[in-house]
Every structure is written in structure tokens, then in C-alpha cells.
Amino acid sequence: MGFSNNFVWGVATSSYQIEGAAYEDGKGLSIWDVYCTQPDRIFEGHHGEVACDHYHRYKEDVQLMKEMGIKAYRFSISWPRVLPKGIGEVNKAGLDFYDKLVDALIEANIEPYVTLFHWDLPYELHKRGGWMNPDSPSWFAEYTKVVVERLSDRVKNFITFNEPQCFIGFGYSQGRHAPGLKQSVRDTLAMAHNVLLAHGYSVKTIRKYAKGEVKIGFAPTGSMNYPCSERKEDIEAARHSIFDMPKEIREDWAWNVTWWSDPIFWGHYPQDGLKLFKDYLPKINEGDMEIISQPIDFLGQNIYTGKEVKADENGEAIYLTRNEGSPKTALSWPITPKALYWGPRFLYERYKKPIYITENGLSCHDVISVDGQVHDPNRIDFLHRYLREFKRAAEDGIEVAGYFQWSLLDNFEWHSGYAERFGIVFVDYQNQKRIIKDSGYWYKSVIETNGEIL
């Protein structure tokens, strides 16, 4: 027993991180285009103007996926490539690109999974207040309609938002990502509410305009903490450490699970959050929560790491200190495979929806070896350990629907530029040469056996 016969094995990317062609064929500016021109924002002044040149090389990249036996590809649409001003006139060339990409995927027998928003907000909408503007949910609905009307005759899986924790928290609260602002809790809570409304309006739009049966999901992230033992007390402490809101207001308040997911799946904000933010809440109009909680089909969760938790004598969570020399990625993220068992388990028990891991992977110090190949045993070991835990979740009856490895290609890693390599395909940015890494061939064997080799 393990993964079901219809389990989805995929890889994931995002538009700004791989497409390039930042100023071609009528594309409008995104906040990332502008942010990357500011000094001291991105590692060594890197930018995504060319990135992996996927806009011109998508056919080659689809063939690489086919060679590795990839069954599904999760990619995001660049909003300003489709609608240069965010609303209004549609850029035919931009929409045609995604149309051709979908056709190429289907021809290669790879199922497309479309993410509508992976952080590249149109700059023209940013100038109008972005997510602070109460019209932003209707902007997103308009954009959704354009994409769905064009692609839903072939695309059957849509994800509205990727990691609101990051694009609101890092972009507008902590100032680490585009547009690089540090706004008040009051402001960012208002943005969060508009993002959730935009999600709800987008779901309604997809249902209304889809040309066939579709499935819709949402892809948040968060630290998936895990218990230090199988004791009931430790398990409950770990569960609470994931789902309880912080005890005090912090700059990184957006980095939580329940403020984002409870409204979507339960139709209300968490009570401890409402109490915490009572002096800063935006106006919640009648009907807002009904819009936000439009029924969706699955929960996508991006999971990379977590913290080990033990219950104290009162049942409260104690975060255990990692031992000296504990494994970590090239980006210094702790390697904690158990997050891919306990995270899906806790999420499924709470929200009762099929779980996709929409991102999971690591950055390694990959190089082209003297034999011309890229040997990445650390990545293989990481993926093996994490997938083995995810398989355990499947064996324990958790409804796990699919897994998307992050990422298909080495790419622009936001404020880290090109310093980090997450791909199972190596990209030489000087000549755009691609090399499937050892991990890519290993992943192919996992897919071919539906995880039996784990």
C-alpha cells in the first residue's frame, strides 16, 4: 500500500522566476521588474529579465519533462503578460504564449496545473494601491476570466494564489520582496482580506466560465511542525503549534496557517486571531466570508521544513533545539523530513480536503562535474527522505493527491537571485544550456514505480 494509482507526480515553476522576456511582445511591468532595478535589493544586482529564457525555450523544457517522465506541470501565469495594465486590454501575444505552452504539455502527455498568481503583480495596479485597493478583488476576477476563457478547454486544474504568507508578509510587512514595503499591521490585514476576497471571486469566476469540469485549489505555505514522539501530548502540542495564532502581534504576523486557510475552508477567521488583531481589523462586510469560502476541491501546501515540538507539563509546545551539525540545505533551511508526514496529516484532519504538496525541494551547491554531468546526491537523499514520509501519510489513510517537486529548473530565487539552485535540471545562465541532474533521473524512477522504490 502506498500512493494511489491516480497519484499526480509533477514539478513546479513560477513565471517571473523562469520566463524572462520581461519587456517583449507587449508584456507590462510587474512589481518584480521594478523592484529588481533598485540597488541593494537582489543578490549581486541579479534580475529576471532573461532568467531561464523559458518564454523562448518552453518546447525544450517540455521535452525535458517528458524525458524525465513528469506527469504534471504546475506553472504560473504572468498577470502583466496577459493584461499589461492589470485590467482592460488583453495582450494577445502574452495569452498566445500560455496557449502554446498548454498545447505542448498536452502533446507530451503532461497535465497542466495553472497557478493564477505567483507574486508578479502588475505594476500599473501597484500604482493604484495594489492589494490595498478595495477594487483589487474585482481586478483579479477580471484577469481570471481572461485566462479561464482561453485555457479551460484543456486546463482542468487551477490554483488561485501561491503563498500569500510570502507575498504579503515579505512584500509589504517585512520589505524583503517586491515591492519592498514595510507597512502597518492595519494595512497588511486589509490587504490580506482583499487577497482572500480575490480568491473567492476567482473561484466563482472559474466555475462560471470554465468550458468543462475543473478542480480548484489554493497553495499556502507554513512551518509544518512535528512531535518529538508519538505521545498524544506531543502530537497535540505540535498540532497547536501549527494552527494557533501567535500570542502577540509581530512584524511577521502573516506567517501562519489559519488566518489564510480557515476563512477559505471554514468561512470565518480564527477566533484567537480575531482577538489578537481586534484593534486593527479591516471592515468585514456582510457576505464577505461567504465569498471567501466558495467551495474548492483541494488544498495545495508548500512544505519545506518544520520544527520539532515537545509538550511541557501544561501541554504547551516547546520548540526543541536542533543538535549541533544538524543537516541543512545550501540556503541554510533545516532538513526535517517528518514535516511531510505530520503537515499533511494535520492539514487533512483539520480541513478534510485532498492534499497536494505543491512545492517541496531544496537548494544545493550544484556544479557541472568534469564528466559534464551534474551529480546532486544531497538532493536525491533529501527527496527520498521527504517522499518516504509523504508515502507514510498515504499509508495512514491521509488523502494525498499529488506531489510537485520544486523546481523543474534552476531559476531566479527572488532576493537571492541566481545564487541558489533548486532545480532537478541545471541551467547554465551564460548559454542557457540545460542538463538533467542525477536527481531528475532518480525522480523518473520514483514516478515509474509510483513511489514503490521509496
Side-chain angles (χ1 to χ4, degrees), residues 116-147:
L116 291 167
F117 187 80
H118 199 131
W119 308 0
D120 42 358
L121 182 75
Y123 185 64
E124 291 301 315
L125 296 185
H126 168 73
K127 288 160 59 176
R128 297 172 66 171
W131 297 113
M132 278 286 288
N133 192 311
D135 289 335
S136 55
S138 64
W139 297 340
F140 193 68
E142 179 180 338
Y143 157 62
T144 298
K145 180 176 181 287
V146 171
V147 173

PDB file of all heavy atoms in Angstrom, residues 116-147:
ATOM      1  N   LEU A 116      -2.678  31.037 -10.837  1.00  0.00           N
ATOM      2  CA  LEU A 116      -3.024  32.346 -11.375  1.00  0.00           C
ATOM      3  C   LEU A 116      -2.149  33.475 -10.832  1.00  0.00           C
ATOM      4  O   LEU A 116      -1.905  34.463 -11.527  1.00  0.00           O
ATOM      5  CB  LEU A 116      -4.495  32.646 -11.098  1.00  0.00           C
ATOM      6  CG  LEU A 116      -5.483  31.790 -11.891  1.00  0.00           C
ATOM      7  CD1 LEU A 116      -6.894  31.919 -11.319  1.00  0.00           C
ATOM      8  CD2 LEU A 116      -5.469  32.181 -13.365  1.00  0.00           C
ATOM      9  N   PHE A 117      -1.674  33.332  -9.590  1.00  0.00           N
ATOM     10  CA  PHE A 117      -0.860  34.415  -9.027  1.00  0.00           C
ATOM     11  C   PHE A 117       0.304  33.851  -8.229  1.00  0.00           C
ATOM     12  O   PHE A 117       0.114  33.204  -7.218  1.00  0.00           O
ATOM     13  CB  PHE A 117      -1.699  35.331  -8.135  1.00  0.00           C
ATOM     14  CG  PHE A 117      -0.942  36.556  -7.663  1.00  0.00           C
ATOM     15  CD1 PHE A 117      -0.798  37.647  -8.498  1.00  0.00           C
ATOM     16  CD2 PHE A 117      -0.377  36.603  -6.397  1.00  0.00           C
ATOM     17  CE1 PHE A 117      -0.090  38.773  -8.080  1.00  0.00           C
ATOM     18  CE2 PHE A 117       0.325  37.724  -5.970  1.00  0.00           C
ATOM     19  CZ  PHE A 117       0.470  38.817  -6.815  1.00  0.00           C
ATOM     20  N   HIS A 118       1.509  34.126  -8.744  1.00  0.00           N
ATOM     21  CA  HIS A 118       2.726  33.755  -8.030  1.00  0.00           C
ATOM     22  C   HIS A 118       3.612  34.989  -7.932  1.00  0.00           C
ATOM     23  O   HIS A 118       4.721  35.039  -8.445  1.00  0.00           O
ATOM     24  CB  HIS A 118       3.439  32.607  -8.735  1.00  0.00           C
ATOM     25  CG  HIS A 118       4.426  31.878  -7.866  1.00  0.00           C
ATOM     26  ND1 HIS A 118       4.455  30.500  -7.765  1.00  0.00           N
ATOM     27  CD2 HIS A 118       5.408  32.323  -7.065  1.00  0.00           C
ATOM     28  CE1 HIS A 118       5.429  30.136  -6.947  1.00  0.00           C
ATOM     29  NE2 HIS A 118       6.029  31.235  -6.513  1.00  0.00           N
ATOM     30  N   TRP A 119       2.994  36.072  -7.356  1.00  0.00           N
ATOM     31  CA  TRP A 119       3.708  37.227  -6.841  1.00  0.00           C
ATOM     32  C   TRP A 119       3.969  38.366  -7.820  1.00  0.00           C
ATOM     33  O   TRP A 119       4.331  39.459  -7.386  1.00  0.00           O
ATOM     34  CB  TRP A 119       5.045  36.833  -6.201  1.00  0.00           C
ATOM     35  CG  TRP A 119       4.951  35.757  -5.175  1.00  0.00           C
ATOM     36  CD1 TRP A 119       3.826  35.090  -4.741  1.00  0.00           C
ATOM     37  CD2 TRP A 119       6.035  35.211  -4.443  1.00  0.00           C
ATOM     38  NE1 TRP A 119       4.155  34.163  -3.794  1.00  0.00           N
ATOM     39  CE2 TRP A 119       5.502  34.211  -3.591  1.00  0.00           C
ATOM     40  CE3 TRP A 119       7.402  35.456  -4.429  1.00  0.00           C
ATOM     41  CZ2 TRP A 119       6.287  33.460  -2.723  1.00  0.00           C
ATOM     42  CZ3 TRP A 119       8.193  34.713  -3.567  1.00  0.00           C
ATOM     43  CH2 TRP A 119       7.646  33.733  -2.721  1.00  0.00           C
ATOM     44  N   ASP A 120       3.825  38.163  -9.151  1.00  0.00           N
ATOM     45  CA  ASP A 120       4.199  39.249 -10.069  1.00  0.00           C
ATOM     46  C   ASP A 120       3.004  40.146 -10.390  1.00  0.00           C
ATOM     47  O   ASP A 120       2.467  40.151 -11.490  1.00  0.00           O
ATOM     48  CB  ASP A 120       4.866  38.718 -11.340  1.00  0.00           C
ATOM     49  CG  ASP A 120       4.195  37.477 -11.921  1.00  0.00           C
ATOM     50  OD1 ASP A 120       3.230  36.980 -11.322  1.00  0.00           O
ATOM     51  OD2 ASP A 120       4.652  37.008 -12.977  1.00  0.00           O
ATOM     52  N   LEU A 121       2.621  40.933  -9.405  1.00  0.00           N
ATOM     53  CA  LEU A 121       1.506  41.882  -9.553  1.00  0.00           C
ATOM     54  C   LEU A 121       1.836  42.913 -10.629  1.00  0.00           C
ATOM     55  O   LEU A 121       2.944  43.457 -10.666  1.00  0.00           O
ATOM     56  CB  LEU A 121       1.263  42.594  -8.223  1.00  0.00           C
ATOM     57  CG  LEU A 121       0.105  43.591  -8.185  1.00  0.00           C
ATOM     58  CD1 LEU A 121      -1.232  42.861  -8.133  1.00  0.00           C
ATOM     59  CD2 LEU A 121       0.248  44.536  -6.981  1.00  0.00           C
ATOM     60  N   PRO A 122       0.883  43.221 -11.513  1.00  0.00           N
ATOM     61  CA  PRO A 122       1.128  44.290 -12.491  1.00  0.00           C
ATOM     62  C   PRO A 122       1.486  45.607 -11.810  1.00  0.00           C
ATOM     63  O   PRO A 122       0.809  46.039 -10.861  1.00  0.00           O
ATOM     64  CB  PRO A 122      -0.206  44.389 -13.236  1.00  0.00           C
ATOM     65  CG  PRO A 122      -0.816  43.027 -13.103  1.00  0.00           C
ATOM     66  CD  PRO A 122      -0.421  42.563 -11.733  1.00  0.00           C
ATOM     67  N   TYR A 123       2.522  46.244 -12.295  1.00  0.00           N
ATOM     68  CA  TYR A 123       2.986  47.486 -11.682  1.00  0.00           C
ATOM     69  C   TYR A 123       1.928  48.585 -11.787  1.00  0.00           C
ATOM     70  O   TYR A 123       1.802  49.426 -10.881  1.00  0.00           O
ATOM     71  CB  TYR A 123       4.294  47.934 -12.348  1.00  0.00           C
ATOM     72  CG  TYR A 123       4.917  49.140 -11.703  1.00  0.00           C
ATOM     73  CD1 TYR A 123       5.366  49.083 -10.384  1.00  0.00           C
ATOM     74  CD2 TYR A 123       5.063  50.346 -12.390  1.00  0.00           C
ATOM     75  CE1 TYR A 123       5.947  50.181  -9.775  1.00  0.00           C
ATOM     76  CE2 TYR A 123       5.644  51.454 -11.804  1.00  0.00           C
ATOM     77  CZ  TYR A 123       6.082  51.366 -10.487  1.00  0.00           C
ATOM     78  OH  TYR A 123       6.656  52.462  -9.889  1.00  0.00           O
ATOM     79  N   GLU A 124       1.155  48.586 -12.869  1.00  0.00           N
ATOM     80  CA  GLU A 124       0.116  49.606 -13.015  1.00  0.00           C
ATOM     81  C   GLU A 124      -0.935  49.484 -11.912  1.00  0.00           C
ATOM     82  O   GLU A 124      -1.519  50.491 -11.495  1.00  0.00           O
ATOM     83  CB  GLU A 124      -0.535  49.492 -14.396  1.00  0.00           C
ATOM     84  CG  GLU A 124       0.370  49.899 -15.554  1.00  0.00           C
ATOM     85  CD  GLU A 124       0.841  51.340 -15.427  1.00  0.00           C
ATOM     86  OE1 GLU A 124       0.009  52.211 -15.120  1.00  0.00           O
ATOM     87  OE2 GLU A 124       2.052  51.583 -15.634  1.00  0.00           O
ATOM     88  N   LEU A 125      -1.192  48.257 -11.446  1.00  0.00           N
ATOM     89  CA  LEU A 125      -2.140  48.089 -10.333  1.00  0.00           C
ATOM     90  C   LEU A 125      -1.480  48.447  -9.002  1.00  0.00           C
ATOM     91  O   LEU A 125      -2.148  48.954  -8.096  1.00  0.00           O
ATOM     92  CB  LEU A 125      -2.664  46.658 -10.303  1.00  0.00           C
ATOM     93  CG  LEU A 125      -3.492  46.233 -11.519  1.00  0.00           C
ATOM     94  CD1 LEU A 125      -4.051  44.824 -11.319  1.00  0.00           C
ATOM     95  CD2 LEU A 125      -4.627  47.216 -11.806  1.00  0.00           C
ATOM     96  N   HIS A 126      -0.197  48.199  -8.889  1.00  0.00           N
ATOM     97  CA  HIS A 126       0.527  48.633  -7.694  1.00  0.00           C
ATOM     98  C   HIS A 126       0.420  50.146  -7.537  1.00  0.00           C
ATOM     99  O   HIS A 126       0.228  50.661  -6.422  1.00  0.00           O
ATOM    100  CB  HIS A 126       1.997  48.206  -7.797  1.00  0.00           C
ATOM    101  CG  HIS A 126       2.881  48.841  -6.771  1.00  0.00           C
ATOM    102  ND1 HIS A 126       2.851  48.487  -5.441  1.00  0.00           N
ATOM    103  CD2 HIS A 126       3.830  49.824  -6.879  1.00  0.00           C
ATOM    104  CE1 HIS A 126       3.740  49.198  -4.754  1.00  0.00           C
ATOM    105  NE2 HIS A 126       4.335  50.023  -5.611  1.00  0.00           N
ATOM    106  N   LYS A 127       0.515  50.870  -8.631  1.00  0.00           N
ATOM    107  CA  LYS A 127       0.415  52.329  -8.591  1.00  0.00           C
ATOM    108  C   LYS A 127      -0.972  52.788  -8.142  1.00  0.00           C
ATOM    109  O   LYS A 127      -1.136  53.933  -7.705  1.00  0.00           O
ATOM    110  CB  LYS A 127       0.754  52.908  -9.965  1.00  0.00           C
ATOM    111  CG  LYS A 127       2.235  52.817 -10.306  1.00  0.00           C
ATOM    112  CD  LYS A 127       2.506  52.919 -11.801  1.00  0.00           C
ATOM    113  CE  LYS A 127       2.020  54.188 -12.424  1.00  0.00           C
ATOM    114  NZ  LYS A 127       2.389  54.276 -13.871  1.00  0.00           N
ATOM    115  N   ARG A 128      -1.957  51.907  -8.250  1.00  0.00           N
ATOM    116  CA  ARG A 128      -3.314  52.237  -7.818  1.00  0.00           C
ATOM    117  C   ARG A 128      -3.618  51.673  -6.432  1.00  0.00           C
ATOM    118  O   ARG A 128      -4.766  51.598  -6.014  1.00  0.00           O
ATOM    119  CB  ARG A 128      -4.315  51.695  -8.839  1.00  0.00           C
ATOM    120  CG  ARG A 128      -4.148  52.335 -10.217  1.00  0.00           C
ATOM    121  CD  ARG A 128      -4.976  51.693 -11.294  1.00  0.00           C
ATOM    122  NE  ARG A 128      -6.412  51.868 -11.087  1.00  0.00           N
ATOM    123  CZ  ARG A 128      -7.346  51.543 -11.974  1.00  0.00           C
ATOM    124  NH1 ARG A 128      -6.970  51.048 -13.157  1.00  0.00           N
ATOM    125  NH2 ARG A 128      -8.613  51.719 -11.717  1.00  0.00           N
ATOM    126  N   GLY A 129      -2.566  51.266  -5.731  1.00  0.00           N
ATOM    127  CA  GLY A 129      -2.737  50.777  -4.367  1.00  0.00           C
ATOM    128  C   GLY A 129      -2.603  49.283  -4.207  1.00  0.00           C
ATOM    129  O   GLY A 129      -2.580  48.778  -3.084  1.00  0.00           O
ATOM    130  N   GLY A 130      -2.530  48.568  -5.326  1.00  0.00           N
ATOM    131  CA  GLY A 130      -2.367  47.116  -5.235  1.00  0.00           C
ATOM    132  C   GLY A 130      -3.440  46.474  -4.381  1.00  0.00           C
ATOM    133  O   GLY A 130      -4.637  46.778  -4.508  1.00  0.00           O
ATOM    134  N   TRP A 131      -3.021  45.589  -3.500  1.00  0.00           N
ATOM    135  CA  TRP A 131      -3.973  44.853  -2.663  1.00  0.00           C
ATOM    136  C   TRP A 131      -4.634  45.722  -1.599  1.00  0.00           C
ATOM    137  O   TRP A 131      -5.596  45.279  -0.956  1.00  0.00           O
ATOM    138  CB  TRP A 131      -3.276  43.654  -2.011  1.00  0.00           C
ATOM    139  CG  TRP A 131      -2.775  42.663  -3.019  1.00  0.00           C
ATOM    140  CD1 TRP A 131      -1.477  42.349  -3.299  1.00  0.00           C
ATOM    141  CD2 TRP A 131      -3.566  41.874  -3.917  1.00  0.00           C
ATOM    142  NE1 TRP A 131      -1.412  41.416  -4.302  1.00  0.00           N
ATOM    143  CE2 TRP A 131      -2.677  41.110  -4.701  1.00  0.00           C
ATOM    144  CE3 TRP A 131      -4.949  41.743  -4.130  1.00  0.00           C
ATOM    145  CZ2 TRP A 131      -3.118  40.217  -5.684  1.00  0.00           C
ATOM    146  CZ3 TRP A 131      -5.380  40.863  -5.110  1.00  0.00           C
ATOM    147  CH2 TRP A 131      -4.480  40.107  -5.874  1.00  0.00           C
ATOM    148  N   MET A 132      -4.164  46.963  -1.419  1.00  0.00           N
ATOM    149  CA  MET A 132      -4.854  47.881  -0.513  1.00  0.00           C
ATOM    150  C   MET A 132      -6.142  48.415  -1.131  1.00  0.00           C
ATOM    151  O   MET A 132      -7.060  48.827  -0.425  1.00  0.00           O
ATOM    152  CB  MET A 132      -3.945  49.063  -0.173  1.00  0.00           C
ATOM    153  CG  MET A 132      -2.939  48.803   0.929  1.00  0.00           C
ATOM    154  SD  MET A 132      -3.697  48.749   2.571  1.00  0.00           S
ATOM    155  CE  MET A 132      -4.067  50.480   2.826  1.00  0.00           C
ATOM    156  N   ASN A 133      -6.209  48.413  -2.442  1.00  0.00           N
ATOM    157  CA  ASN A 133      -7.353  48.979  -3.134  1.00  0.00           C
ATOM    158  C   ASN A 133      -8.554  48.033  -3.014  1.00  0.00           C
ATOM    159  O   ASN A 133      -8.436  46.845  -3.333  1.00  0.00           O
ATOM    160  CB  ASN A 133      -7.007  49.197  -4.609  1.00  0.00           C
ATOM    161  CG  ASN A 133      -8.025  50.050  -5.331  1.00  0.00           C
ATOM    162  OD1 ASN A 133      -9.223  49.820  -5.237  1.00  0.00           O
ATOM    163  ND2 ASN A 133      -7.533  51.039  -6.079  1.00  0.00           N
ATOM    164  N   PRO A 134      -9.698  48.521  -2.568  1.00  0.00           N
ATOM    165  CA  PRO A 134     -10.870  47.642  -2.437  1.00  0.00           C
ATOM    166  C   PRO A 134     -11.362  47.079  -3.765  1.00  0.00           C
ATOM    167  O   PRO A 134     -12.152  46.129  -3.779  1.00  0.00           O
ATOM    168  CB  PRO A 134     -11.928  48.548  -1.796  1.00  0.00           C
ATOM    169  CG  PRO A 134     -11.459  49.943  -2.028  1.00  0.00           C
ATOM    170  CD  PRO A 134      -9.973  49.882  -2.070  1.00  0.00           C
ATOM    171  N   ASP A 135     -10.886  47.628  -4.880  1.00  0.00           N
ATOM    172  CA  ASP A 135     -11.249  47.084  -6.195  1.00  0.00           C
ATOM    173  C   ASP A 135     -10.367  45.889  -6.595  1.00  0.00           C
ATOM    174  O   ASP A 135     -10.631  45.246  -7.618  1.00  0.00           O
ATOM    175  CB  ASP A 135     -11.112  48.161  -7.283  1.00  0.00           C
ATOM    176  CG  ASP A 135     -12.183  49.225  -7.173  1.00  0.00           C
ATOM    177  OD1 ASP A 135     -13.266  48.935  -6.613  1.00  0.00           O
ATOM    178  OD2 ASP A 135     -11.930  50.357  -7.634  1.00  0.00           O
ATOM    179  N   SER A 136      -9.325  45.604  -5.807  1.00  0.00           N
ATOM    180  CA  SER A 136      -8.381  44.560  -6.209  1.00  0.00           C
ATOM    181  C   SER A 136      -9.030  43.182  -6.386  1.00  0.00           C
ATOM    182  O   SER A 136      -8.638  42.446  -7.308  1.00  0.00           O
ATOM    183  CB  SER A 136      -7.200  44.487  -5.238  1.00  0.00           C
ATOM    184  OG  SER A 136      -7.614  44.309  -3.900  1.00  0.00           O
ATOM    185  N   PRO A 137     -10.025  42.789  -5.586  1.00  0.00           N
ATOM    186  CA  PRO A 137     -10.672  41.501  -5.863  1.00  0.00           C
ATOM    187  C   PRO A 137     -11.342  41.449  -7.230  1.00  0.00           C
ATOM    188  O   PRO A 137     -11.284  40.424  -7.923  1.00  0.00           O
ATOM    189  CB  PRO A 137     -11.696  41.366  -4.729  1.00  0.00           C
ATOM    190  CG  PRO A 137     -11.118  42.165  -3.606  1.00  0.00           C
ATOM    191  CD  PRO A 137     -10.478  43.332  -4.273  1.00  0.00           C
ATOM    192  N   SER A 138     -11.945  42.555  -7.660  1.00  0.00           N
ATOM    193  CA  SER A 138     -12.586  42.553  -8.980  1.00  0.00           C
ATOM    194  C   SER A 138     -11.548  42.581 -10.091  1.00  0.00           C
ATOM    195  O   SER A 138     -11.764  42.024 -11.169  1.00  0.00           O
ATOM    196  CB  SER A 138     -13.556  43.733  -9.111  1.00  0.00           C
ATOM    197  OG  SER A 138     -12.879  44.971  -9.041  1.00  0.00           O
ATOM    198  N   TRP A 139     -10.388  43.228  -9.843  1.00  0.00           N
ATOM    199  CA  TRP A 139      -9.304  43.170 -10.828  1.00  0.00           C
ATOM    200  C   TRP A 139      -8.884  41.722 -11.055  1.00  0.00           C
ATOM    201  O   TRP A 139      -8.708  41.284 -12.188  1.00  0.00           O
ATOM    202  CB  TRP A 139      -8.084  43.951 -10.348  1.00  0.00           C
ATOM    203  CG  TRP A 139      -8.270  45.417 -10.142  1.00  0.00           C
ATOM    204  CD1 TRP A 139      -9.246  46.219 -10.668  1.00  0.00           C
ATOM    205  CD2 TRP A 139      -7.435  46.263  -9.342  1.00  0.00           C
ATOM    206  NE1 TRP A 139      -9.073  47.515 -10.240  1.00  0.00           N
ATOM    207  CE2 TRP A 139      -7.970  47.579  -9.433  1.00  0.00           C
ATOM    208  CE3 TRP A 139      -6.300  46.059  -8.564  1.00  0.00           C
ATOM    209  CZ2 TRP A 139      -7.396  48.659  -8.766  1.00  0.00           C
ATOM    210  CZ3 TRP A 139      -5.720  47.137  -7.903  1.00  0.00           C
ATOM    211  CH2 TRP A 139      -6.269  48.416  -8.012  1.00  0.00           C
ATOM    212  N   PHE A 140      -8.721  41.012  -9.959  1.00  0.00           N
ATOM    213  CA  PHE A 140      -8.255  39.628 -10.062  1.00  0.00           C
ATOM    214  C   PHE A 140      -9.291  38.750 -10.743  1.00  0.00           C
ATOM    215  O   PHE A 140      -8.950  37.843 -11.508  1.00  0.00           O
ATOM    216  CB  PHE A 140      -7.907  39.079  -8.673  1.00  0.00           C
ATOM    217  CG  PHE A 140      -7.135  37.793  -8.709  1.00  0.00           C
ATOM    218  CD1 PHE A 140      -5.842  37.756  -9.186  1.00  0.00           C
ATOM    219  CD2 PHE A 140      -7.702  36.616  -8.258  1.00  0.00           C
ATOM    220  CE1 PHE A 140      -5.120  36.577  -9.216  1.00  0.00           C
ATOM    221  CE2 PHE A 140      -6.996  35.422  -8.280  1.00  0.00           C
ATOM    222  CZ  PHE A 140      -5.692  35.402  -8.770  1.00  0.00           C
ATOM    223  N   ALA A 141     -10.565  39.026 -10.486  1.00  0.00           N
ATOM    224  CA  ALA A 141     -11.634  38.272 -11.148  1.00  0.00           C
ATOM    225  C   ALA A 141     -11.615  38.516 -12.658  1.00  0.00           C
ATOM    226  O   ALA A 141     -11.813  37.583 -13.452  1.00  0.00           O
ATOM    227  CB  ALA A 141     -12.987  38.647 -10.560  1.00  0.00           C
ATOM    228  N   GLU A 142     -11.373  39.758 -13.063  1.00  0.00           N
ATOM    229  CA  GLU A 142     -11.305  40.077 -14.491  1.00  0.00           C
ATOM    230  C   GLU A 142     -10.158  39.317 -15.152  1.00  0.00           C
ATOM    231  O   GLU A 142     -10.315  38.741 -16.242  1.00  0.00           O
ATOM    232  CB  GLU A 142     -11.123  41.585 -14.685  1.00  0.00           C
ATOM    233  CG  GLU A 142     -11.008  41.999 -16.143  1.00  0.00           C
ATOM    234  CD  GLU A 142     -10.834  43.506 -16.318  1.00  0.00           C
ATOM    235  OE1 GLU A 142     -11.211  44.272 -15.407  1.00  0.00           O
ATOM    236  OE2 GLU A 142     -10.298  43.912 -17.375  1.00  0.00           O
ATOM    237  N   TYR A 143      -9.011  39.333 -14.514  1.00  0.00           N
ATOM    238  CA  TYR A 143      -7.851  38.592 -15.020  1.00  0.00           C
ATOM    239  C   TYR A 143      -8.141  37.092 -15.077  1.00  0.00           C
ATOM    240  O   TYR A 143      -7.835  36.425 -16.078  1.00  0.00           O
ATOM    241  CB  TYR A 143      -6.656  38.902 -14.120  1.00  0.00           C
ATOM    242  CG  TYR A 143      -5.550  37.894 -14.121  1.00  0.00           C
ATOM    243  CD1 TYR A 143      -4.837  37.595 -15.281  1.00  0.00           C
ATOM    244  CD2 TYR A 143      -5.174  37.257 -12.936  1.00  0.00           C
ATOM    245  CE1 TYR A 143      -3.794  36.672 -15.261  1.00  0.00           C
ATOM    246  CE2 TYR A 143      -4.146  36.339 -12.913  1.00  0.00           C
ATOM    247  CZ  TYR A 143      -3.453  36.048 -14.073  1.00  0.00           C
ATOM    248  OH  TYR A 143      -2.435  35.136 -14.043  1.00  0.00           O
ATOM    249  N   THR A 144      -8.747  36.567 -14.042  1.00  0.00           N
ATOM    250  CA  THR A 144      -9.105  35.145 -14.004  1.00  0.00           C
ATOM    251  C   THR A 144      -9.975  34.778 -15.197  1.00  0.00           C
ATOM    252  O   THR A 144      -9.761  33.756 -15.858  1.00  0.00           O
ATOM    253  CB  THR A 144      -9.837  34.808 -12.700  1.00  0.00           C
ATOM    254  OG1 THR A 144      -8.978  35.047 -11.584  1.00  0.00           O
ATOM    255  CG2 THR A 144     -10.281  33.351 -12.671  1.00  0.00           C
ATOM    256  N   LYS A 145     -10.965  35.608 -15.480  1.00  0.00           N
ATOM    257  CA  LYS A 145     -11.895  35.335 -16.583  1.00  0.00           C
ATOM    258  C   LYS A 145     -11.152  35.225 -17.913  1.00  0.00           C
ATOM    259  O   LYS A 145     -11.427  34.320 -18.725  1.00  0.00           O
ATOM    260  CB  LYS A 145     -12.958  36.435 -16.649  1.00  0.00           C
ATOM    261  CG  LYS A 145     -13.994  36.260 -17.765  1.00  0.00           C
ATOM    262  CD  LYS A 145     -15.059  37.354 -17.664  1.00  0.00           C
ATOM    263  CE  LYS A 145     -16.129  37.213 -18.741  1.00  0.00           C
ATOM    264  NZ  LYS A 145     -15.641  37.592 -20.084  1.00  0.00           N
ATOM    265  N   VAL A 146     -10.203  36.121 -18.147  1.00  0.00           N
ATOM    266  CA  VAL A 146      -9.443  36.102 -19.398  1.00  0.00           C
ATOM    267  C   VAL A 146      -8.696  34.780 -19.545  1.00  0.00           C
ATOM    268  O   VAL A 146      -8.711  34.134 -20.605  1.00  0.00           O
ATOM    269  CB  VAL A 146      -8.459  37.291 -19.454  1.00  0.00           C
ATOM    270  CG1 VAL A 146      -7.510  37.157 -20.642  1.00  0.00           C
ATOM    271  CG2 VAL A 146      -9.212  38.610 -19.528  1.00  0.00           C
ATOM    272  N   VAL A 147      -8.037  34.349 -18.477  1.00  0.00           N
ATOM    273  CA  VAL A 147      -7.250  33.112 -18.525  1.00  0.00           C
ATOM    274  C   VAL A 147      -8.155  31.893 -18.689  1.00  0.00           C
ATOM    275  O   VAL A 147      -7.894  31.014 -19.521  1.00  0.00           O
ATOM    276  CB  VAL A 147      -6.384  32.978 -17.257  1.00  0.00           C
ATOM    277  CG1 VAL A 147      -5.697  31.618 -17.216  1.00  0.00           C
ATOM    278  CG2 VAL A 147      -5.350  34.103 -17.187  1.00  0.00           C
TER     279      VAL A 147
END
